[in-house]
Amino acid sequence: MNGPQIYFEIPVLGGLPITESMRNQWFVMLLILCLCVFLTRNLQKIPTGKQALAEKAVVMLNGLVDNTMGEGCRHYAPFVAAIMLSSLFGSLVSVIGLRPTTADLNTTLGWALIVFFLIHYSNIRFHGLKAYLKGYLEPIFIMLPLNVLSEIATPISMSFRHFGNMAGGLVITTLLMSGLAAFSNAILGFLPVPLFQIGIPGVLSLYFDLFTAAMQAFIFSMLTMAYVGNARS
């Protein structure tokens, strides 16, 4: 409810806080690394088991990139996969009792800024600096302020959408747990455990921790591919 816990500060740039979200994100990165190592060990010419699963996932991702961004964009697939898995596991760590990293605006804004710079880099690379700057004056020159605001709004909308959904779910779940604990204590105070906390939070967890996590990871990845692909076209 009060944001990620700050463990300590590094005395640089006026104080660099090391937070709970940072710790959890390093755990997520380690988890993704272990998953990649596990799926790619002892590769065979004829895939079976985990190798077949990994290759199927790669084929599906490549197809998604081709269909969304267009031909010749498969080199973006590792980046898209990294964003998707970081978002998914960053949200799912709440299942094991950790604070989701995606419920911290610093996390989602960081990803959105990377996408933002990639959009403009792709635009300049494929259209040239002159055409890139000219695009801000289209369809007429008085649209310049609105076009600039539109570009600035891209990372803001991407980050706040993802953060808002996950943080909202965290707040609702926390309030519900507190309310059920108080209700259980008032009705069944003689019991050593808050009985009403059993069952109901688990049902909500299926939505906030599983469905919403998967949906937001997919949406963020799709927006990344759509924006970068549009910048190239």
Side-chain angles (χ1 to χ4, degrees), residues 141-162:
F141 71 94
I142 60 174
M143 294 295 293
L144 174 62
L146 291 179
N147 287 333
V148 172
L149 286 176
S150 176
E151 294 298 329
I152 295 175
T154 297
I156 295 176
S157 63
M158 289 183 69
S159 58
F160 271 87
R161 180 188 296 107
H162 197 346

Side-chain angles (χ1 to χ4, degrees), residues 37-200:
V37 172
F38 171 73
L39 292 176
T40 56
R41 287 187 61 190
N42 302 320
L43 297 180
Q44 306 294 327
K45 291 184 178 180
I46 301 178
T48 58
K50 63 179 182 179
Q51 182 179 341
L53 180 64
E55 292 189 11
K56 179 64 176 178
V58 171
V59 170
M60 291 177 62
L61 178 62
N62 286 337
L64 185 63
V65 170
D66 288 341
N67 293 332
T68 306
M69 302 182 69
E71 297 294 335
C73 294
R74 285 195 179 181
H75 57 283
Y76 289 106
F79 174 71
V80 173
I83 287 287
M84 186 180 295
L85 290 177
S86 296
S87 173
L88 179 62
F89 287 114
S91 300
L92 289 180
V93 291
S94 60
V95 175
I96 58 175
L98 298 178
R99 192 179 195 278
T101 62
T102 50
D104 187 339
L105 182 59
N106 294 293
T107 302
T108 57
L109 182 59
W111 296 341
L113 288 175
I114 294 174
V115 175
F116 176 76
F117 286 113
L118 186 58
I119 291 170
H120 294 276
Y121 167 77
S122 299
N123 200 326
I124 295 173
R125 179 185 176 187
F126 287 93
H127 301 285
L129 181 60
K130 182 178 179 180
Y132 168 75
L133 295 176
K134 184 180 177 181
Y136 286 98
L137 304 176
E138 295 177 348
I140 54 177
F141 71 94
I142 60 174
M143 294 295 293
L144 174 62
L146 291 179
N147 287 333
V148 172
L149 286 176
S150 176
E151 294 298 329
I152 295 175
T154 297
I156 295 176
S157 63
M158 289 183 69
S159 58
F160 271 87
R161 180 188 296 107
H162 197 346
F163 158 74
N165 277 278
M166 300 314 302
L170 179 64
V171 170
I172 291 174
T173 302
T174 302
L175 290 175
L176 178 66
M177 291 291 288
S178 300
L180 290 174
F183 184 65
S184 181
N185 184 62
I187 303 299
L188 303 172
F190 57 90
L191 294 177
V193 295
L195 187 62
F196 289 116
Q197 282 189 336
I198 301 175
I200 297 177

